[in-house]
Amino acid sequence: MSKRKTRSISLALQGGGAHGAFTWGVLERLVDEPGLEIKAITATSAGATNAAAFAAGYARDGAEGAKANLEKLWRTISAKGAPFTAFSWAQSPLTAMPFSPIQMGLALTSIASPYEFNPFDFNALRDALDETIDFEAARHSPVELFLSATNVESGRVKVFSGDEVTRDAVLASACLPQIFRAVEIEGNAYWDGGYMGNPSLFPLIYAKAPRDVLLVLLNPIAREGVPRRVPQIMDRLNEISFNASLIGELRAIAFVQKLLDDGMLKEPMVKKYRRLTIHALRGGQALSDLALPTKYDTSWTFLTELRDKGRAEAEKWLGSCAQYLGTGQSSVDLREEFLED
């Protein structure tokens, strides 16, 4: 009986607050797939949190360690109400009211900064990371990490990798400025990476990472209908804003791949650019019925529902698209699905 061929992939994990529990389910299913190896992860915000927990657990005890650490992380997040403890009261029955406590909490962020309403810099996500992730293990994991944050002053993306992968790097990647103070690392202040890289794909071009890249999307790129009410308008603006950087990178990748296909890049330039084959697991579509405030819902029931959805969508993807891995062919048409109107 022939041995199953090992297929190596890179993952690109979007941010999305509590919706990151969907990615938890995706990771659980992928790491269980025989002959499939996750060798690199580029990630932002909730994706970075998942990536660090996965890599640390994998370093200690392989697939089982990765799954156990992910569950421990999300159980701790739920217990603490992290990463959005300021709005953890949204779990109460009052959330059914037209103007719920979570909406009041979000409204507060429009008139007061975290430096004003959180003078002691309380951060439950920081505590959750301290309790669940061994960052020394994450740094030495066989899964290479690239975690994106936004430099507040320069407006540029910062990618933390190698020895830079720390608790503060994850906090920086997940730092929504309306809720948390900027995270300072070596004299630089950082906000959520989703503004400039959600997630960043360019590190996979220059690293020795697998060329097969699976995008795990949490924000719908396309949505039918024009929103007319304020909550729907804000939801759609959030989706467009946090997809903008990814779409820009996909456009650049498509352009370079066309140059390679048309033979327009000559030596030595052709060696400089690696061809990435792109695949997509569209969590954003699976979560499209969830409004923006649910990204702050850390109730265990909700998180495990998202996890189960993630597992189911990963199962579908493995059945329909995993056959493209290792063939040098993308399972999505970048121009048709992401770039052209």
Side-chain angles (χ1 to χ4, degrees):
M1 187 167 136
S2 62
K3 185 178 179 180
R4 182 189 293 266
K5 182 180 178 181
T6 298
R7 297 166 295 175
S8 298
I9 64 171
S10 299
L11 299 181
L13 310 181
Q14 274 198 325
H19 291 186
F22 176 93
T23 304
W24 165 26
V26 171
L27 291 169
E28 274 200 344
R29 178 60 190 90
L30 292 180
V31 79
D32 275 342
E33 181 66 10
L36 186 67
E37 283 189 335
I38 299 170
K39 301 292 289 182
I41 303 177
T42 181
T44 293
S45 199
T49 306
N50 275 317
F54 180 91
Y58 197 91
R60 289 198 306 268
D61 195 22
E64 293 306 313
K67 290 189 293 183
N69 213 40
L70 283 166
E71 178 165 348
K72 182 180 179 183
L73 169 72
W74 285 100
R75 280 191 179 278
T76 305
I77 284 174
S78 180
K80 291 181 175 294
F84 306 109
T85 300
F87 309 132
S88 61
W89 10 311
Q91 299 168 20
S92 76
L94 291 175
T95 56
M97 295 173 59
F99 195 68
S100 67
I102 193 170
Q103 290 171 309
M104 288 188 281
L106 290 170
L108 174 64
T109 66
S110 68
I111 59 174
S113 82
Y115 297 85
E116 296 165 325
F117 69 71
N118 185 12
F120 298 105
D121 195 24
F122 178 74
N123 188 329
L125 178 58
R126 180 171 55 221
D127 297 338
L129 294 177
D130 284 340
E131 292 181 21
T132 60
I133 299 179
D134 178 350
F135 280 94
E136 184 67 22
R139 287 190 287 273
H140 292 90
S141 175
V143 181
E144 191 171 10
L145 299 182
F146 304 94
L147 311 181
S148 294
T150 301
N151 186 303
V152 177
E153 294 182 272
S154 73
R156 298 176 182 175
V157 67
K158 165 64 179 177
V159 178
F160 297 95
S161 61
D163 290 341
E164 297 175 316
V165 174
T166 62
R167 179 201 66 182
D168 284 350
V170 174
L171 289 174
S173 185
C175 180
L176 287 172
Q178 303 92 334
I179 298 171
F180 300 126
R181 296 183 181 190
V183 176
E184 293 195 10
I185 301 174
E186 295 185 354
N188 294 303
Y190 296 100
W191 282 342
D192 195 290
Y195 298 110
M196 295 304 296
N198 195 19
S200 297
L201 300 181
F202 70 86
L204 302 178
I205 296 175
Y206 301 111
K208 295 180 180 179
R211 298 188 183 195
D212 280 298
V213 180
L214 173 58
L215 306 175
V216 181
L217 306 174
L218 294 182
N219 301 303
I221 290 179
R223 185 185 287 275
E224 292 186 2
V226 177
R228 299 184 184 279
R229 297 179 60 238
V230 170
Q232 286 74 32
I233 291 172
M234 297 307 296
D235 285 3
R236 188 59 185 144
L237 279 174
N238 179 271
E239 290 169 354
I240 292 172
S241 298
F242 279 96
N243 281 326
S245 59
L246 176 63
I247 290 175
E249 283 202 84
L250 289 172
R251 180 176 290 112
I253 290 171
F255 176 70
V256 170
Q257 290 185 348
K258 187 175 189 305
L259 294 179
L260 291 170
D261 291 340
D262 294 346
M264 298 180 69
L265 291 179
K266 307 300 182 182
E267 299 288 354
M269 293 298 293
V270 73
K271 290 183 179 180
K272 183 178 179 180
Y273 296 99
R274 300 174 75 236
R275 179 187 297 276
L276 298 182
T277 52
I278 306 297
H279 315 279
L281 199 157
R282 299 165 185 80
Q285 299 310 122
L287 307 176
S288 61
D289 60 333
L290 299 177
L292 176 61
T294 63
K295 291 185 176 183
Y296 302 91
D297 185 351
T298 57
S299 64
W300 185 243
T301 298
F302 181 64
L303 296 179
T304 53
E305 286 175 356
L306 292 178
R307 176 202 61 193
D308 294 344
K309 281 188 177 184
R311 285 189 64 92
E313 290 300 315
E315 186 72 39
K316 291 179 186 176
W317 183 83
L318 288 167
S320 60
C321 298
Q323 60 185 309
Y324 290 94
L325 298 178
T327 67
Q329 181 180 356
S330 296
S331 59
V332 298
D333 184 321
L334 290 181
R335 302 198 69 83
E336 180 179 345
E337 295 205 31
F338 297 108
L339 307 182
E340 295 181 348
D341 194 345

